C-alpha cells in the first residue's frame, strides 16, 4: 500500500505557493481621473501662480474648463537660485499630490515639470511641454511611474 500523504502535502504547498505569487500586492486600483480627458492644456500663467503662494495657503488652479485642481500648498521651496518646487495636496481628489517644479534656464526662459499622483489610484497626470511649446497634463498610470518599495 502506497502512502499518498506526502504527495498530497507537496501538492497542497505547490498550489498555495502558486496562488501567493500570482496575486498583485496592490490589488486592482480604481481610476481617479476616468471622467477627465487624457490630455489637458495648461497655461504658463496658471502654472506660475503656484510659486507665488506660501506654505499653508489654499490655492485653486483652473487648468481648463473641465479640470480644476484645488488644495493646500504644503511646501514651496527655492532649492537653488534657478529651481523652485511646490507641493499641493488636494482633498477634492482624495489627497492627491501635485508636485511641480520651475526651472529658470540660462537664457532666462522658464521650464515647468510636475505630476499629479496618488499611490492609491491607477491614474494620474504628468506635466509636459508639447512640440509647439504649450504645457499639457497627460494622463499616466501611476504604477509605471512610482517604483514600489518592499522593505522587510
Amino acid at each position: 500500500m502506497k502512502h499518498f500523504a506526502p504527495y498530497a502535502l507537496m501538492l497542497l504547498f505547490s498550489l498555495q505557493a502558486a496562488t501567493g505569487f500570482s496575486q498583485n500586492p496592490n490589488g486592482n486600483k480604481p481610476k481617479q481621473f476616468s471622467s477627465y480627458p487624457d490630455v489637458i492644456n495648461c497655461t504658463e500663467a496658471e502654472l506660475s501662480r503656484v510659486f507665488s503662494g506660501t506654505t499653508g495657503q489654499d490655492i485653486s488652479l483652473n487648468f481648463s474648463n473641465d479640470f480644476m485642481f484645488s488644495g493646500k500648498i504644503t511646501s514651496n521651496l527655492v532649492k537653488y537660485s534657478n529651481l523652485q518646487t511646490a507641493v499641493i495636496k488636494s482633498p477634492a481628489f482624495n489627497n492627491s499630490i501635485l508636485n511641480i517644479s520651475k526651472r529658470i534656464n540660462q537664457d532666462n526662459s522658464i521650464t515647468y515639470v510636475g505630476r499629479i499622483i496618488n499611490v492609491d489610484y491607477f491614474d494620474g497626470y504628468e506635466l509636459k511641454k508639447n512640440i509647439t511649446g504649450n504645457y499639457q497634463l497627460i494622463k499616466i498610470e501611476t504604477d509605471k511611474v512610482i517604483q514600489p518599495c518592499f522593505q522587510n
Side-chain angles (χ1 to χ4, degrees), residues 78-151:
V78 176
K79 303 239 181 195
Y80 304 103
S81 61
N82 66 339
L83 180 64
Q84 185 174 0
T85 300
V87 177
I88 300 170
K89 189 174 188 179
S90 176
F93 288 106
N94 302 308
N95 293 323
S96 289
I97 302 289
L98 167 62
N99 186 350
I100 185 168
S101 295
K102 173 179 82 169
R103 183 181 72 219
I104 301 172
N105 303 312
Q106 288 183 349
D107 63 356
N108 284 332
S109 63
I110 295 176
T111 302
Y112 297 100
V113 293
R115 290 189 176 126
I116 299 174
I117 287 187
N118 187 326
V119 295
D120 296 330
Y121 288 90
F122 175 80
D123 55 354
Y125 282 100
E126 185 168 15
L127 180 65
K128 290 187 176 184
K129 194 179 234 186
N130 65 15
I131 58 173
T132 61
N134 297 316
Y135 285 98
Q136 296 177 319
L137 287 168
I138 300 171
K139 200 175 282 186
I140 57 170
E141 293 179 25
T142 56
D143 287 347
K144 290 185 177 179
V145 176
I146 300 172
Q147 296 298 317
C149 178
F150 300 110
Q151 217 172 12

